[in-house]
């Protein structure tokens, strides 16, 4: 407890823990529905395209969060317009588009490194650091997190209905196109929040990992969301403290905070899978969601 109180006195630690906790809770809510809808692929694709906006914002000298947000939301709406299944079925075209996006990211990062002093552009955009977030960005992050959670609460039941049985949902008067479009916008916000926290490349882990743990362990959907939030929250707090304290273990070269968080998420996911394979947990939140809407 004394160690935690001492760390809390450091401005960078307070910012990292506040932002990380907020993002972990928001992405847990978004991630559970993302996994249920089978759109982990979409989330990963959005991270590749979000990096274009983040690198462009870095080049222009504006807040990276705006770049991540604009790129990921626009990309999400574009995926909705084209159709996720059609995108997934066109491996070559999808690969070219995503590779082109990373190419633009490389270009913008290179221009940033040659046009400014310091070569931290790639790390800032692709891998991020909770310790490097400007405290003035925290209110915006909190607002976006709250907006995404409220929006998820509003569309949760129709979105789950559309996920389980889109034809039946449409027949019952659910505006499936609008629900899917709104969800892709929310997913874009989640990707942007994850990108500003652990970087564009690693944000999928924060979005999908805790949610997968929740669905493995929990018996009810509500419990799955809570479990996902706890896993994400714990990963962030432990990861931040590990990264901060590793300075004393490695001779003045700290471990990346993004690495620590993602490594802990992976470890927790593997533990959940082992527990499930041994029959020690029998989470059936996914099955109950299906039964409730059939």
């Amino acid at each position: 407890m004394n160690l935690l109180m001492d760390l809390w006195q450091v401005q960078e630690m307070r910012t990292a823990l506040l932002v990380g906790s907020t993002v972990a809770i928001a992405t847990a809510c978004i991630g559970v529905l993302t996994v249920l809808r089978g759109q982990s692929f979409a989330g990963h694709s959005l991270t590749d395209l979000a990096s274009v906006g983040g690198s462009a914002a870095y080049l222009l000298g504006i807040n990276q969060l705006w770049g991540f947000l604009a790129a990921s939301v626009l990309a999400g709406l574009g995926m909705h317009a084209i159709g996720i299944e059609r995108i997934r079925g066109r491996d070559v075209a999808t690969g070219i588009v995503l590779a082109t996006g990373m190419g633009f990211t490389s270009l913008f990062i290179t221009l940033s490194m040659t046009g400014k002093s310091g070569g931290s552009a790639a790390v800032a955009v692709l891998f991020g650091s909770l310790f490097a977030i400007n405290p003035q960005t925290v209110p915006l992050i909190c607002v976006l997190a709250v907006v995404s959670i409220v929006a998820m609460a509003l569309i949760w039941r129709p979105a789950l209905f559309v996920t389980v049985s889109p034809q039946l949902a449409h027949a019952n008067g659910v505006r499936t196109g609008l629900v899917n479009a709104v969800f892709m916008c929310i997913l874009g916000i989640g990707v942007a929040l994850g990108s500003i926290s652990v970087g564009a490349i690693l944000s999928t882990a924060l979005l999908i990992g805790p949610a997968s743990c929740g669905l493995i362990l929990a018996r009810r959907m509500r419990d799955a969301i809570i479990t996902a939030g706890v896993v994400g929250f714990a990963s962030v707090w432990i990861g931040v403290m590990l990264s901060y304290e590793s300075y004393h273990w490695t001779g003045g070269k700290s471990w990346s905070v993004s690495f620590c968080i993602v490594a802990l998420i992976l470890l927790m996911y593997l533990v959940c899978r082992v527990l499930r394979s041994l029959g020690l947990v029998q989470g059936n939140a996914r099955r109950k969601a299906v039964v409730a809407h059939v």
Side-chain angles (χ1 to χ4, degrees):
M1 182 62 68
N2 290 333
L3 174 61
L4 182 59
M5 293 300 297
D6 291 339
L7 295 178
W8 189 256
Q9 303 302 317
V10 182
Q11 173 66 48
E12 290 79 5
M13 284 291 293
R14 290 199 303 272
T15 301
L17 292 173
L18 178 58
V19 170
S21 301
T22 303
V23 172
I25 294 171
T27 53
C29 298
I30 301 170
V32 168
L33 190 55
T34 302
V35 175
L36 285 175
R37 290 168 63 93
Q39 290 186 330
S40 299
F41 166 81
H44 173 70
S45 301
L46 286 180
T47 61
D48 289 347
L49 298 175
S51 64
V52 179
S55 58
Y58 192 96
L59 175 63
L60 297 174
I62 61 179
N63 193 323
Q64 287 183 59
L65 180 56
W66 290 117
F68 285 131
L69 182 64
S72 56
V73 170
L74 289 175
L77 289 174
M79 288 182 180
H80 168 70
I82 297 172
I84 294 296
E85 294 299 328
R86 292 174 61 189
I87 293 175
R88 186 183 292 118
R90 297 179 179 179
D91 294 338
V92 175
T94 302
I96 291 174
V97 170
L98 296 182
T100 301
M102 293 305 295
F104 275 107
T105 299
S106 176
L107 172 63
F108 295 150
I109 288 176
T110 301
L111 293 175
S112 299
M113 294 173 66
T114 56
K116 299 178 182 180
S117 60
S120 60
V123 174
V125 174
L126 299 179
F127 303 107
S129 176
L130 285 171
F131 294 138
I133 293 178
N134 189 331
Q136 296 179 352
T137 308
V138 175
L140 176 59
I141 293 174
C142 293
V143 168
L144 289 174
V146 171
V147 168
S148 64
I149 292 173
V150 171
M152 281 297 302
L154 292 175
I155 72 163
W156 179 263
R157 291 191 63 82
L160 200 56
F161 196 4
V162 172
T163 299
V164 173
S165 181
Q167 293 82 9
L168 186 58
H170 181 73
N172 279 269
V174 178
R175 301 175 64 181
T176 57
L178 177 60
V179 170
N180 289 332
V182 172
F183 175 73
M184 290 306 294
C185 289
I186 298 172
L187 179 57
I189 295 175
V191 168
L193 291 173
S195 297
I196 199 66
S197 302
V198 296
I201 296 297
L202 303 177
S203 63
T204 307
L206 191 59
L207 180 72
I208 303 301
S212 299
C213 293
L215 289 170
I216 290 173
L217 297 176
R219 292 179 176 272
R220 295 182 297 177
M221 192 57 58
R222 182 189 63 187
D223 296 337
I225 296 174
I226 294 174
T227 303
V230 170
V231 170
F233 185 88
S235 299
V236 166
W237 275 68
I238 298 173
V240 167
M241 288 188 285
L242 279 176
S243 176
Y244 190 84
E245 287 298 310
S246 66
Y247 179 87
H248 305 292
W249 310 334
T250 57
K253 295 182 179 180
S254 300
W255 294 349
S256 164
V257 62
S258 299
F259 162 75
C260 292
I261 293 172
V262 172
L264 286 167
I265 290 174
L266 174 61
L267 178 61
M268 292 185 186
Y269 175 74
L270 292 176
V271 170
C272 291
R273 295 291 299 184
V274 170
L275 293 176
R276 181 67 177 269
S277 65
L278 295 175
L280 299 178
V281 294
Q282 296 180 347
N284 58 357
R286 188 194 305 263
R287 188 182 309 160
K288 284 193 174 182
V290 172
V291 172
H293 288 82
V294 171

